Amino acid sequence: MRRIVTWAMSTLTVIVLLFSYHTSRSSVVATAETRPVTTTSAQSDTGTTTDSGSGSSGGTGGTGDSSSSSSSSGDTTTSGSSGSSSTTAATTYAGDAIDTRYGPVQVQITVAEGTITAVDVLQVPMSDRHDQMINSQAVPIYNEEAVQAQSADIDVVSGATYTWEGYTQSLQSAIDQANL
């Protein structure tokens, strides 16, 4: 009789534990579908449009930035011919695309008055759900830290070491182009 009661209780315990277990993949799908990296790219497109208007209407700030931006290959802010901007002249610089083990990483910075005001990711590995999960969490942290540090000297996010290596190299390349 004891064996039957013990067997029934252990079976019931296993069934309860089995149905209450949440797999880690179900939460990964939810975070992978809300990729903040995509929204960051949309912000960089908006920033580039704003920069085009301010590049053509900029006074003293735009003149100094456009002479240094003529040597950068990724900068397209001097081609704007219309639009007015209420902000100061800001220039974007795209860093080199750095190949990592999982794919290329490329960073773009926005510089206004000699300081980095925004950092956006142009390319980041997103080939599978694991990449999406890691980079959707790590890239916004890297962006914030780069703006706060005003340099490529930022801390690595655990689990995103390869992204960090490509990110910091591309960020340094963009900073070098901006002569900061």
Side-chain angles (χ1 to χ4, degrees):
M1 184 71 171
R2 279 187 182 175
R3 284 184 171 174
I4 293 173
V5 171
T6 306
W7 176 80
M9 292 304 289
S10 63
T11 302
L12 182 62
T13 303
V14 168
I15 289 173
V16 168
L17 290 174
L18 183 64
F19 284 118
S20 65
Y21 179 74
H22 295 286
T23 62
S24 61
R25 289 293 181 187
S26 63
S27 64
V28 171
V29 174
T31 58
E33 296 302 321
T34 59
R35 301 186 324 201
V37 174
T38 305
T39 59
T40 319
S41 296
Q43 290 173 354
S44 70
D45 291 339
T46 305
T48 305
T49 305
T50 304
D51 294 342
S52 295
S54 63
S56 64
S57 63
T60 58
T63 307
D65 290 341
S66 64
S67 65
S68 64
S69 67
S70 63
S71 64
S72 67
S73 61
D75 187 39
T76 59
T77 59
T78 58
S79 63
S81 62
S82 65
S84 62
S85 175
S86 61
T87 61
T88 60
T91 309
T92 59
Y93 298 92
D96 296 335
I98 306 298
D99 288 325
T100 65
R101 179 177 179 180
Y102 298 103
V105 177
Q106 186 175 19
V107 176
Q108 172 181 301
I109 62 171
T110 303
V111 178
E113 298 177 6
T115 60
I116 299 171
T117 58
V119 179
D120 298 314
V121 174
L122 301 177
Q123 294 182 51
V124 68
M126 288 289 189
S127 59
D128 61 9
R129 289 183 177 166
H130 189 257
D131 289 343
Q132 293 170 0
M133 180 190 68
I134 290 173
N135 291 327
S136 67
Q137 293 174 358
V139 168
I141 294 170
Y142 291 153
N143 290 344
E144 289 176 26
E145 285 188 8
V147 171
Q148 289 176 357
Q150 293 291 307
S151 71
D153 186 23
I154 58 175
D155 292 331
V156 65
V157 173
S158 179
T161 305
Y162 290 107
T163 301
W164 173 80
E165 289 173 353
Y167 187 97
T168 54
Q169 290 176 18
S170 182
L171 179 61
Q172 187 61 53
S173 169
I175 290 171
D176 291 345
Q177 287 180 19
N179 295 322
L180 295 178

